[in-house]
Structures are given as C-alpha cells and as structure tokens.
Amino acid sequence: MNTVRAIYPGTFDPLTNGHLDLIARGSKIFDHLIVAILNNSEKEPLFPVKERVEMLTEATREFSNISVSTFDGLLVEFARQQQAQALLRGIRAISDYEYEFQMALMNRRLAPQLETVFMMPAEKYSYVSSRLIREVFRLGGSVEGLVPPSVVERLQKQAAQRPGGD
Ligand code: PNS
C-alpha cells in the first residue's frame, strides 16, 4: 500500500491555533505528517528552537501520525532525507499567495517529484500570524484563543523574565 509522508515546514515562532488547525487537517489526509521547524540562526527569534519543539510536541500529542522535527538548509533536501512526497503549506488570504507560489515553484524546480499541497485554515484564524501574535503580546494585548494555552503561559513567562518585566 502507498503511504504518503508530508512535511509541514515553518518558523512557528510562536505556534498559533492557525498552525494547529492546519496540522489537524493535514493529519487527516496524510499518513504521516512531519512538522519541521526551520533552525534559522540568522533571525533573532522570540523562542529558541528547542522551546518551539517543546510547544509543538505538547500541542500535537493527541495525533498519532504527527512528529516534530527541525531542519537546516534547503527544505527539499530535508524532504528527501525524510522520504516525504509532499509539502504542506497554509494559505490564509490572497496576500499569502505570491510568496507561497514562488516558494512552491522554486521547490518544484529543485525537487520535481515533491508536491506542494495548500490548505486553508478555519476562517476564524485567517488573520492570525506569528508576527501579529508577537506584536500584540509585546504591546500588552491579549492573544488568548489565538494560540494554545501552553503558548500563552510561555509568552507570559518570557515577558516576566525580560528586563523590566513583572
Ligand atoms: O513559517 P514561515 O516563516 O513562512 O516558513 C518559511 C519556510 C521555513 C518554509 C521557508 O523559509 C523555507 O523553506 N526555508 C528553508 C530554506 C529553503 O529551502 N529555501 C528555499 C525555499 S524556496
């Protein structure tokens, strides 16, 4: 029997309910889904990769066909190592489309056998992005309901540890 392994790559800084919604949808159509966090040392992340792995592992515990991993370098190379046949990406709005289209076509050029599959998260998360979560939280707004409760806790813990935090 043919099994389809897919990779859901991203930065996940932090994980949002939009990401989780997509993971739940992906787990239904793929036999195995690897959530892959980019180990990007160039950017200054809010959460270190190790903590993002913990967040994702906690939040995806209920799914038996999901694993969490990290990768460096080219995504297509990681997909080859993992013997994945597909990449999963979320599209929230038309504004996501141009970047996603470019990435999908570049990845196709690099690895023609690897398919990119786009899925839409639930409408209620269509405006949620990690960047906005970071900004709203930093400025004192509530992000409850937009990220898993464990992420809210970690955000609060981090804010308290920051100089000038409570
Ligand atoms: O969550 P993001 O930041 O939108 O995820 C972007 C990501 C990690 C999928 C993308 O930056 C990526 O695949 N980086 C790995 C390097 C790579 O393969 N670059 C060429 C992609 S066309």
Side-chain angles (χ1 to χ4, degrees):
M1 205 177 73
N2 270 357
T3 57
V4 182
R5 282 166 70 78
I7 294 184
Y8 178 36
T11 309
F12 305 104
D13 187 32
L15 168 69
T16 70
N17 284 346
H19 293 132
L20 270 185
D21 181 274
L22 216 75
I23 290 171
R25 288 170 200 281
S27 81
K28 288 193 208 141
I29 63 163
F30 298 115
D31 295 296
H32 190 82
L33 184 64
I34 302 163
V35 182
I37 305 166
L38 175 66
N39 209 342
N40 187 350
S41 52
E42 285 164 37
K43 277 197 208 165
E44 179 77 19
L46 179 61
F47 289 104
V49 169
K50 183 175 165 283
E51 211 172 336
R52 281 179 267 157
V53 170
E54 286 168 10
M55 281 183 222
L56 271 152
T57 306
E58 278 163 24
T60 58
R61 201 158 278 154
E62 65 180 283
F63 302 99
S64 58
N65 63 342
I66 305 254
S67 57
V68 179
S69 194
T70 62
F71 74 104
D72 288 291
L74 278 181
L75 176 59
V76 293
E77 182 54 28
F78 179 71
R80 193 187 61 75
Q81 287 163 10
Q82 297 297 317
Q83 298 177 319
Q85 294 92 335
L87 300 174
L88 172 64
R89 290 288 289 172
I91 292 227
R92 292 162 298 191
I94 295 293
S95 50
D96 283 340
Y97 181 78
E98 194 169 343
Y99 171 59
E100 294 299 332
F101 179 78
Q102 287 175 354
M103 257 198 329
L105 290 184
M106 182 59 85
N107 284 332
R108 180 181 282 170
R109 185 191 154 92
L110 296 169
Q113 73 292 349
L114 188 65
E115 287 297 340
T116 299
V117 175
F118 294 110
M119 292 181 88
M120 286 177 293
E123 285 140 81
K124 62 180 172 181
Y125 301 129
S126 58
Y127 61 93
V128 178
S129 68
S130 296
R131 187 183 62 77
L132 279 185
I133 295 292
R134 290 195 300 269
E135 183 170 319
V136 169
F137 185 79
R138 184 171 50 83
L139 298 173
S142 168
V143 295
E144 263 170 59
L146 302 179
V147 299
S150 67
V151 173
V152 176
E153 274 170 38
R154 283 173 191 271
L155 283 165
Q156 285 166 345
K157 204 164 127 195
Q158 222 203 47
Q161 282 166 357
R162 243 180 277 142
D166 297 326

